Amino acid sequence: MPGTPTIGPAGAQGVREANLGTVLRTIRAAAPCSRAEIAAATGLTKSTVSSIVADLAARRLVREVGAPAERRVGRPGVGLALDERSIAAVGLEVNVDYLTVVAVDLLEGVLLSRHAAFDARSAGPEACAERITGLLAHTVADPLLRSRTVLGASVAVPGLVDAPSGVVTNAPNLRWTGFPLRERIAGLMARAGLPAMPLHVDNDANLGVIAEYRGGHLAGTPDLVYITGEVGVGAGILTGGALLRGSSGYTGEIGHVPLLRGGPRCGCGRRGCLEALAGVEAVLRHAVPDLMPDGPLSGAGLSRAVDAAVARAEAGDPAVRRALRRAGTWLGRGAAALVNVIDPAAVILGGYFVPLAPWLGPPCAAAVAAHSLAPDRPGRVQTSGLGLTAAARGGASALVDALDRGRLPLPERAPAPP
Amino acid sequence: MPGTPTIGPAGAQGVREANLGTVLRTIRAAAPCSRAEIAAATGLTKSTVSSIVADLAARRLVREVGAPAERRVGRPGVGLALDERSIAAVGLEVNVDYLTVVAVDLLEGVLLSRHAAFDARSAGPEACAERITGLLAHTVADPLLRSRTVLGASVAVPGLVDAPSGVVTNAPNLRWTGFPLRERIAGLMARAGLPAMPLHVDNDANLGVIAEYRGGHLAGTPDLVYITGEVGVGAGILTGGALLRGSSGYTGEIGHVPLLRGGPRCGCGRRGCLEALAGVEAVLRHAVPDLMPDGPLSGAGLSRAVDAAVARAEAGDPAVRRALRRAGTWLGRGAAALVNVIDPAAVILGGYFVPLAPWLGPPCAAAVAAHSLAPDRPGRVQTSGLGLTAAARGGASALVDALDRGRLPLPERAPAPP
């Protein structure tokens, strides 16, 4: 018999948090709406709604709109909306060959977005932590974020992350193991005299699927998979609208599904993994071998080689098209394993798979259909509209999502000027 | 932005149901316990607890224990426990070569259990529905269930099931497609003049993992996988203590993960699927080829061949041991795909894999460890203690589980005699 009963939504603190989240999400979806409309939509009493709205307004998360200036906060019938002027959430991504940073407001509108080639693999973890900290400090000081409270920062990493501790357990393609990234960034920020803020570290695929769920073209689809298309291939999985974390936080590692016995050597040390057959570096070594160095690619090399592969495929180069078709088929065979296990509504190809999708996508979709037992569903394989910013956007969105669940880290502040 | 906000625990009906479930689960875990203790453990008010307990007592789901006879229901301080005397839940399983039925009480104690060889594949769906209905009628009339209210019956099927409609979409190893099993059983029951009852149809692996979660040796483990070891191989997946249903209800279909290009032909029509390499029929064709007919196995043949394979492996037969080792390795490669995707705490091998586990289990565990990216975890692969009754028990448990979530289909009845 399952041990202790889970004490669900009944605890007093839990109820308040759940209700705060319910009101915030209702306003997000239905703004402008009145307190009475929120009460009707949620089943909460009007006095509970008024108390929660007052709390949210004191933290400048909600404001009144479309009401005459002389009306007070608290008057029923006044339209409410989220106040997008007060907070910012920052997401960063470090990947094998780039750094990305995105900041969003409460409506998840992008305030700023920067992308730079960066040879993270050669730099090593300590130098990466320094670059990330520098980029974060620069972002927080940016005039575009002036007068906003920064909710926190989230860092996406291509590898296994112990999210509660912020330790990167194993990132084969960066060659990091057991690196305490969150602690290191916090230490560097303190040494530089920067104000402390909540820091999160998570897997790039996990944050990619959050970005798709909250802001992609399939936003709101509760059973969704996002596949990173980098040197590594990983999957972020949402089931029932929640991130699948598994028993130890290591889900979606399809990059190491064994597909070909005795196949090419993978970054993880094994042979024939999906990543060694359809990871972007493996794809490029087949598609544009003349542009690839003997050793590992550095910095901007990967993105230049992707551009070249796209240009040649567009020009009809049969060898490039064949290599992309072959990679797409392997990707589809790996994705089929995932589709057969978790039955998502859609699998979204992200990262460098986006520019390669015209050639790699159709064979991938065909392989998924051929190897899934469930009836074929057209449109199961899709291409991301978020490109290389997905993981960083997802990290910023995850911070906003925590607010939407009623976790309010913000102090009460004076009401916003009218 | 995700469309309509989910209205979570706030709706009045939802709160009552959540609270009913919370109280029932608390009593299940902590009995005997008083109303005051329940209030303290759940955060509910004492008057809410008393009202809910009265509701549960009126339906004879809860009773007072260890209290003097003159004390009234409603008096605080009296010990409460689940009343295991009033209900029964029935689970049946139809598989390629057998029928199983199990009935349990509210504490999930087994009231009766029957297992019979039955050649479901040759019988066809209509004859199967008749046999299932006959077995159900016989079970409900059994003196062991006398004076109990039957909560309903659940039927486990090895294949894709559309659970909401009770239609078996595709069960390759039974050769059923689009068969409305629930409707057919309900019709046969009505024609035979039997009282109507709630009927559910679900996938055998889904119900197997529920049985493990509620009554197996790893009960209460929230991230758990159960693998059926029949002619078909499927996985039932729990994440966070909830069954993973996916976007269309077809999760855990690892039987058709492609493992070997150009491998043996599978029941689904493809080649090299896990099921064609490690399903029990495939295993036996390698392990005891002399006992296998050219055509499909019938009725009791499969179970007799499993017994023979076990006897020969125990006697040290190298060919049998080699075949089981090979099958275990393939099973582990397939299970690794699942472990890499959903990161369960444990994978439990069930069905006919249980008697074969001494030889098939260790190579399976080794292959899972070799092909998982996450750090190795000893004991990740386990053997079920529930044998061939798992799916039927899980079906019965699922009916009890619905009560535990506050869904009370039972009418109020007179209080139980003291």
Side-chain angles (χ1 to χ4, degrees):
Chain A
M1 201 167 308
T4 347
T6 36
I7 291 172
Q13 184 56 40
V15 166
R16 178 77 181 175
E17 200 171 285
N19 290 344
L20 268 166
T22 302
V23 170
L24 202 59
R25 293 196 305 275
T26 304
I27 299 173
R28 184 180 289 283
C33 54
S34 69
R35 289 165 180 80
E37 285 163 346
I38 296 168
T42 59
L44 297 171
T45 65
K46 282 178 196 165
S47 71
T48 302
V49 170
S50 288
S51 145
I52 287 173
V53 166
D55 217 359
L56 295 170
R59 287 170 171 83
R60 290 185 51 199
L61 295 172
V62 161
R63 59 176 171 149
E64 300 189 340
V65 290
E70 71 271 18
R71 286 204 183 172
R72 296 186 305 105
V73 173
R75 180 80 61 95
V78 173
L80 298 166
L82 297 189
D83 188 343
E84 79 284 7
R85 301 163 304 176
S86 58
I87 65 110
V90 179
L92 300 104
E93 180 187 9
V94 54
N95 217 305
V96 173
D97 63 315
Y98 62 80
L99 275 173
T100 300
V101 61
V102 172
V104 306
D105 63 24
L106 183 57
L107 293 174
E108 289 165 77
V110 174
L111 298 168
L112 64 81
S113 173
R114 290 196 190 94
H115 181 82
F118 173 61
D119 192 349
R121 186 147 56 179
S122 309
E126 300 291 348
C128 275
E130 281 173 34
R131 278 296 291 269
I132 292 166
T133 309
L135 190 55
L136 178 55
H138 189 74
T139 302
V140 171
D142 194 294
L144 290 167
L145 267 59
R146 195 183 347 243
S147 83
R148 289 176 183 267
T149 304
V150 176
L151 274 184
S154 166
V155 184
V157 177
L160 303 181
V161 175
D162 181 57
S165 68
V167 172
V168 180
T169 315
N170 184 16
N173 294 312
L174 294 177
R175 299 186 196 127
W176 298 3
T177 46
F179 183 64
L181 180 60
R182 186 175 68 197
E183 187 189 302
R184 205 65 100 240
I185 295 172
L188 290 164
M189 287 180 71
R191 212 180 313 157
L194 295 165
M197 65 174 70
L199 293 170
H200 301 274
V201 179
D202 208 335
N203 170 271
D204 57 346
N206 284 350
L207 295 175
V209 78
I210 289 174
E212 294 293 345
Y213 184 62
R214 293 189 69 98
H217 70 290
L218 296 178
T221 306
D223 297 288
L224 204 58
V225 168
Y226 173 86
I227 296 188
T228 60
E230 316 291 340
V231 173
V233 178
I237 302 170
L238 279 184
T239 64
L243 196 60
L244 186 69
R245 285 270 181 204
S247 66
S248 46
Y250 304 146
T251 57
E253 290 301 334
I254 59 160
H256 307 281
V257 169
L259 288 180
L260 185 61
R261 279 190 116 163
R265 178 77 66 183
C266 179
C268 74
R270 301 181 190 86
R271 284 187 172 280
C273 298
L274 169 60
E275 207 163 285
L277 293 159
V280 168
E281 194 164 358
V283 172
L284 294 173
R285 286 195 189 281
H286 280 96
V288 288
D290 53 309
L291 301 180
M292 301 296 283
D294 287 338
L297 270 178
S298 68
L302 198 68
S303 127
R304 274 199 304 268
V306 169
D307 291 346
V310 168
R312 290 184 195 177
E314 277 174 348
D317 184 323
V320 173
R321 290 192 170 195
R322 200 180 318 118
L324 295 176
R325 205 161 48 233
R326 191 170 158 274
T329 301
W330 283 119
L331 184 60
R333 289 172 70 96
L338 194 148
V339 166
N340 278 318
V341 168
I342 58 162
D343 183 26
V347 173
I348 302 176
L349 305 180
Y352 289 122
F353 289 150
V354 176
L356 300 173
W359 306 280
L360 181 139
C364 173
V368 167
H371 292 286
S372 310
L373 189 64
D376 187 31
R377 182 188 300 182
R380 175 98 84 160
V381 177
Q382 305 246 344
T383 306
S384 174
L386 303 176
L388 296 177
T389 66
R393 282 187 65 165
S397 284
L399 294 162
V400 176
D401 183 59
L403 285 187
D404 273 12
R405 292 169 196 272
R407 273 168 254 144
L408 303 188
L410 300 172
E412 291 191 27
R413 304 192 344 180
Chain B
M1 200 168 310
T4 346
T6 36
I7 291 171
Q13 184 55 41
V15 167
R16 178 79 182 173
E17 198 171 284
N19 290 344
L20 269 167
T22 302
V23 170
L24 201 60
R25 293 196 306 274
T26 304
I27 299 174
R28 183 181 289 282
C33 55
S34 69
R35 290 168 180 77
E37 286 163 344
I38 297 167
T42 59
L44 295 172
T45 66
K46 283 179 196 165
S47 71
T48 301
V49 171
S50 289
S51 143
I52 287 174
V53 167
D55 217 356
L56 295 171
R59 287 171 171 84
R60 290 185 51 199
L61 297 172
V62 162
R63 59 175 171 149
E64 300 189 341
V65 288
E70 70 270 18
R71 287 205 181 171
R72 294 187 307 104
V73 173
R75 180 81 58 93
V78 174
L80 298 168
L82 297 189
D83 188 343
E84 78 284 7
R85 302 163 304 177
S86 58
I87 65 111
V90 179
L92 299 104
E93 180 188 7
V94 55
N95 216 304
V96 174
D97 64 315
Y98 63 79
L99 274 172
T100 299
V101 62
V102 172
V104 306
D105 63 23
L106 184 56
L107 293 174
E108 288 167 78
V110 173
L111 298 169
L112 65 82
S113 174
R114 291 198 188 92
H115 181 82
F118 174 61
D119 191 350
R121 187 149 52 180
S122 309
E126 298 291 350
C128 276
E130 280 173 34
R131 280 294 292 270
I132 292 166
T133 308
L135 189 56
L136 178 55
H138 189 73
T139 302
V140 170
D142 193 294
L144 291 167
L145 267 58
R146 196 186 341 244
S147 82
R148 290 177 182 268
T149 304
V150 176
L151 274 185
S154 166
V155 184
V157 177
L160 302 181
V161 175
D162 182 57
S165 68
V167 171
V168 180
T169 315
N170 183 16
N173 294 311
L174 294 177
R175 299 186 196 127
W176 299 3
T177 46
F179 183 64
L181 181 59
R182 186 174 72 195
E183 187 189 300
R184 205 66 100 238
I185 296 172
L188 290 164
M189 287 179 72
R191 212 181 313 157
L194 295 164
M197 64 174 69
L199 293 170
H200 301 275
V201 179
D202 208 335
N203 171 271
D204 57 347
N206 284 350
L207 295 175
V209 78
I210 289 174
E212 294 293 344
Y213 183 63
R214 294 190 69 100
H217 69 291
L218 296 178
T221 306
D223 297 289
L224 203 59
V225 167
Y226 173 85
I227 296 188
T228 60
E230 317 291 340
V231 173
V233 178
I237 301 170
L238 279 183
T239 65
L243 196 60
L244 185 69
R245 286 271 181 202
S247 67
S248 46
Y250 305 145
T251 57
E253 291 299 336
I254 59 161
H256 306 280
V257 168
L259 288 180
L260 184 61
R261 278 191 117 163
R265 178 76 67 184
C266 179
C268 74
R270 301 181 190 86
R271 286 186 171 278
C273 297
L274 169 59
E275 209 162 284
L277 294 159
V280 169
E281 194 163 1
V283 172
L284 295 173
R285 287 195 186 281
H286 280 96
V288 289
D290 53 308
L291 302 180
M292 301 296 284
D294 287 338
L297 271 177
S298 68
L302 198 68
S303 131
R304 274 199 303 269
V306 169
D307 292 345
V310 168
R312 291 184 195 177
E314 278 173 347
D317 185 323
V320 173
R321 289 192 170 194
R322 199 180 319 118
L324 294 177
R325 203 161 51 233
R326 192 169 158 275
T329 301
W330 283 119
L331 185 58
R333 290 172 71 96
L338 193 149
V339 167
N340 278 319
V341 168
I342 59 161
D343 184 24
V347 173
I348 301 176
L349 305 182
Y352 290 122
F353 289 150
V354 176
L356 300 172
W359 305 279
L360 182 138
C364 173
V368 167
H371 292 286
S372 309
L373 188 64
D376 188 28
R377 180 189 301 184
R380 176 97 83 160
V381 176
Q382 306 244 346
T383 307
S384 174
L386 302 176
L388 296 177
T389 67
R393 282 186 65 166
S397 284
L399 294 163
V400 176
D401 184 61
L403 285 186
D404 273 14
R405 291 169 196 272
R407 272 169 254 142
L408 303 187
L410 300 173
E412 291 191 31
R413 302 190 349 177

